[in-house]
Amino acid sequence: MTPHVTHKLREFGDLECDSEAWLLRLTQSNVMTVPPRVDLLRQGDCTGPMYILIDGWAIRYKILVDGRRQILSVLLPGDIFDINGFMAKSMDHSIASLTAVKLAELDRDTMDTARNQFPDVEKLLWCDMHVSAAIQREWSTSLGQRTARERMAQLLCELFTRQASANLCQGKTCAFHLTQIELAETLGMTPVYVNRTLQDLRREGLIQLENRTLTINDLPRLEQLALFDPGYLRICESDGGTGANKETAHVL
Amino acid sequence: MTPHVTHKLREFGDLECDSEAWLLRLTQSNVMTVPPRVDLLRQGDCTGPMYILIDGWAIRYKILVDGRRQILSVLLPGDIFDINGFMAKSMDHSIASLTAVKLAELDRDTMDTARNQFPDVEKLLWCDMHVSAAIQREWSTSLGQRTARERMAQLLCELFTRQASANLCQGKTCAFHLTQIELAETLGMTPVYVNRTLQDLRREGLIQLENRTLTINDLPRLEQLALFDPGYLRICESDGGTGANKETAHVL
DNA sequence: CGAAGCATTGACCCTATTCAATTTTGGTGG
DNA sequence: CCACCAAAATTGAATAGGGTCAATGCTTCG
């Protein structure tokens, strides 16, 4: 298990020795590699095992009957999917690799045993689920309320921050494996306008984005433009993130 | 506990006698009533107990620093919130009543005990969480991919269908407690355009909407317009919903 | 080295927004 | 029961943010 995955799994609090050891064993024994741009799970499939993404990028997406595609989330190393598998009967969305991807398969029986045996593991799953839900809510807020520029800035901030907290950044730079077309499907805009929006951000010196590499030159300014409040990424963290969110309540 | 709540809680499979009895007792003993348009939980609050909405409508919403508000979901009788409370440290969003609301409070200790004692209850919570997540994904898809008309139609279909499966409809009619302003905040559009969109749907004879009452005259046609596929509402159902989703996979 | 996919650019257009005014509704107190 | 007020719904006209279409240049990778 690469260091950032361990790091990520500890994000929600320290695991007890035996549960950590157990997880580590699992994620080393049952690893598989998948090429880029392949569906891992399909909308309508019956649900199966659970996975931990060890390395590479993947996406959740949903397709409408007429073919329009919405990318629902980006899965980064350390992310768990699809917890769904345990209770749900069928997938309402699909999951696909973007890059070559290394993932550990955790089959249902093994997990059931572990969840009963190690309360830590059950807690970890809940935390991951809560954080995913919070991210989904933030994306809905973006799609509903933010302008194209703000949405773009918000997404860049999120992907940078999530990678930073998994020790995957080098300074102001991180990997970035979405094409402009995929950005468009994520942000609910057209590829043409994605291109123009990116150029604006580049022209203003806020970011560089080339060769699957994102550099954020001025994070504070980008965050301000994005109305970015990282609280939603931290709602489950164990250590002292304030998480406090000072907006005034909505006037009812 | 009113009949529709029982019905809703059984949606994910039959509970064992003692866990159902236990739930029933709880939701009768600790009930409180809240007036319309009041915050029940606030963005930034530390998380507390869990609630079951017994009667009335409520919303989840999120506010950006500059005041823009996105409504993230509509809570109907039988819905559980905020499961979050058990693991998360703080709320990333708020919850407010729309109508007068009756809710049962389930405090943390009681719930912890129950979850250990009755595996059914833990399962029920996971199912509810999964369905909420699926709804949130569908809303993201709406906001990102559907036009204003389609978004409106989709929301009307969803709220009708959810009420129908809780036995809250009479024929083609159900309650509808969102103002046009709230619809706007839900659908990511302006109140003016919500008004115009609704008038279109009315003019075409698809719906009636007045006096907090929605009537869907032609559900099949509205569903078609909305690209509505109710599968996402059923991913956790125990009995024979097919859930199958026949769209062709995205070409990669 | 060729082809397919991705990024970029320009011109035009449309969906939805903005602003501003008016009507209707619903709730309250006299 | 009616008069009054605030909030919600409705309408019109002008506008802008972002979409569409189409062509060209640039990568990447077999």
Side-chain angles (χ1 to χ4, degrees):
Chain A
M1 188 149 61
T2 38
H4 51 265
V5 176
T6 325
H7 188 271
K8 151 86 189 179
L9 293 178
R10 282 217 199 86
E11 182 182 338
F12 306 130
D14 288 326
L15 294 167
E16 283 174 32
C17 293
D18 25 352
S19 31
E20 179 153 348
W22 173 86
L23 256 177
L24 217 126
R25 207 159 3 95
L26 261 194
T27 55
Q28 283 169 336
S29 61
N30 227 336
V31 174
M32 56 200 209
T33 303
V34 177
R37 274 148 232 282
V38 165
D39 276 349
L40 307 176
L41 297 168
R42 287 247 177 98
Q43 208 161 329
D45 283 359
C46 291
T47 54
M50 209 184 82
Y51 302 90
I52 294 180
L53 186 55
I54 309 268
D55 208 41
W57 285 34
I59 49 171
R60 284 177 207 274
Y61 69 87
K62 190 154 184 167
I63 299 215
L64 296 178
V65 279
D66 67 354
R68 278 175 275 175
R69 178 163 93 140
Q70 177 65 35
I71 293 180
L72 295 162
S73 53
V74 176
L75 300 170
L76 302 178
D79 283 341
I80 303 172
F81 70 94
D82 209 315
I83 299 180
N84 231 352
F86 292 101
M87 314 273 40
K89 293 188 54 185
S90 71
M91 295 285 292
D92 65 311
H93 63 281
S94 302
I95 293 183
S97 63
L98 286 179
T99 65
V101 139
K102 207 168 9 157
L103 38 84
E105 182 177 325
L106 309 176
D107 72 78
R108 194 183 281 241
D109 290 345
T110 319
M111 278 311 291
D112 280 346
T113 316
R115 294 167 80 161
N116 292 329
Q117 197 175 346
F118 308 115
D120 280 1
V121 171
E122 181 73 16
K123 188 187 162 203
L124 185 146
L125 294 181
W126 271 110
C127 282
D128 190 85
M129 188 78 189
H130 284 314
V131 173
S132 307
I135 292 176
Q136 197 68 51
R137 285 190 289 267
E138 188 64 37
W139 284 35
S140 286
T141 307
S142 262
L143 288 165
Q145 299 301 323
R146 284 189 248 250
T147 65
R149 269 171 73 84
E150 290 166 350
R151 274 195 317 266
M152 177 67 75
Q154 145 72 29
L155 180 65
L156 300 182
C157 287
E158 179 186 306
L159 291 176
F160 182 86
T161 304
R162 283 171 60 195
Q163 289 188 83
S165 69
N167 270 118
L168 288 165
C169 296
Q170 302 103 57
K172 302 180 164 192
T173 294
C174 65
F176 198 88
H177 293 288
L178 295 167
T179 65
Q180 291 186 6
I181 293 169
E182 287 151 356
L183 275 171
E185 293 171 319
T186 305
L187 299 172
M189 53 210 246
T190 57
V192 173
Y193 206 62
V194 163
N195 185 284
R196 287 173 176 145
T197 306
L198 282 174
Q199 286 184 45
D200 283 353
L201 298 181
R202 282 195 272 246
R203 196 172 313 119
E204 292 165 43
L206 289 167
I207 62 160
Q208 292 160 252
L209 178 53
E210 52 201 2
N211 261 99
R212 263 139 261 178
T213 302
L214 168 68
T215 303
I216 298 183
N217 299 317
D218 190 341
L219 184 57
R221 207 144 65 82
L222 192 66
E223 287 181 340
Q224 193 183 354
L225 166 59
L227 301 149
F228 185 72
D229 174 347
Y232 72 100
L233 295 171
R234 299 194 196 126
I235 53 171
C236 262
E237 259 173 26
S238 53
D239 51 342
T242 74
N245 195 320
K246 303 297 187 200
E247 11 261 338
T248 40
H250 182 69
V251 180
L252 294 167
Chain B
M1 189 147 64
T2 38
H4 51 266
V5 175
T6 324
H7 188 271
K8 151 88 188 178
L9 292 178
R10 281 216 201 88
E11 183 182 342
F12 306 130
D14 288 326
L15 294 167
E16 283 173 30
C17 292
D18 27 348
S19 30
E20 179 154 347
W22 173 86
L23 257 177
L24 216 127
R25 206 159 5 93
L26 260 193
T27 54
Q28 283 170 336
S29 62
N30 228 337
V31 175
M32 55 200 209
T33 303
V34 177
R37 273 144 231 285
V38 166
D39 276 349
L40 308 175
L41 296 167
R42 287 248 176 97
Q43 208 161 329
D45 283 358
C46 292
T47 53
M50 210 185 82
Y51 302 90
I52 295 181
L53 186 54
I54 309 268
D55 206 43
W57 283 35
I59 50 173
R60 284 177 206 276
Y61 69 87
K62 190 151 183 167
I63 299 216
L64 297 178
V65 279
D66 67 354
R68 277 175 277 176
R69 177 164 93 139
Q70 177 65 33
I71 293 180
L72 296 162
S73 53
V74 176
L75 301 169
L76 302 179
D79 283 342
I80 303 172
F81 69 92
D82 208 315
I83 299 179
N84 231 351
F86 292 100
M87 313 274 38
K89 294 186 54 186
S90 70
M91 295 285 294
D92 66 311
H93 64 281
S94 302
I95 292 183
S97 62
L98 286 179
T99 64
V101 138
K102 208 168 7 159
L103 38 84
E105 183 176 325
L106 309 176
D107 71 79
R108 195 181 280 243
D109 290 345
T110 319
M111 278 310 290
D112 280 346
T113 315
R115 294 169 80 160
N116 292 330
Q117 196 175 344
F118 308 115
D120 281 0
V121 171
E122 182 72 16
K123 189 187 161 205
L124 185 145
L125 295 180
W126 271 110
C127 282
D128 191 84
M129 188 77 188
H130 284 314
V131 173
S132 307
I135 293 175
Q136 196 70 50
R137 285 190 288 268
E138 188 64 38
W139 284 35
S140 286
T141 306
S142 261
L143 289 165
Q145 299 302 323
R146 284 190 247 250
T147 64
R149 268 172 72 84
E150 291 165 350
R151 271 191 327 262
M152 177 65 75
Q154 143 73 30
L155 180 65
L156 300 183
C157 286
E158 179 186 306
L159 290 177
F160 182 84
T161 304
R162 284 171 60 196
Q163 289 187 84
S165 70
N167 270 118
L168 288 165
C169 297
Q170 302 102 58
K172 302 181 163 191
T173 296
C174 66
F176 198 87
H177 293 289
L178 295 167
T179 66
Q180 292 187 5
I181 292 169
E182 286 150 356
L183 275 171
E185 292 171 320
T186 305
L187 299 172
M189 52 209 246
T190 57
V192 173
Y193 206 61
V194 163
N195 186 285
R196 286 170 179 151
T197 305
L198 282 175
Q199 286 184 44
D200 282 352
L201 298 181
R202 281 196 273 245
R203 198 173 312 119
E204 293 167 41
L206 289 166
I207 62 160
Q208 293 160 250
L209 179 52
E210 53 201 2
N211 259 100
R212 262 140 261 179
T213 302
L214 168 68
T215 303
I216 299 184
N217 298 317
D218 190 342
L219 184 58
R221 207 143 66 82
L222 192 67
E223 287 179 341
Q224 194 184 352
L225 167 59
L227 301 149
F228 184 72
D229 173 347
Y232 72 99
L233 296 172
R234 299 193 195 127
I235 53 171
C236 264
E237 260 175 25
S238 52
D239 52 342
T242 76
N245 197 319
K246 303 297 188 200
E247 12 259 339
T248 39
H250 182 69
V251 180
L252 294 164

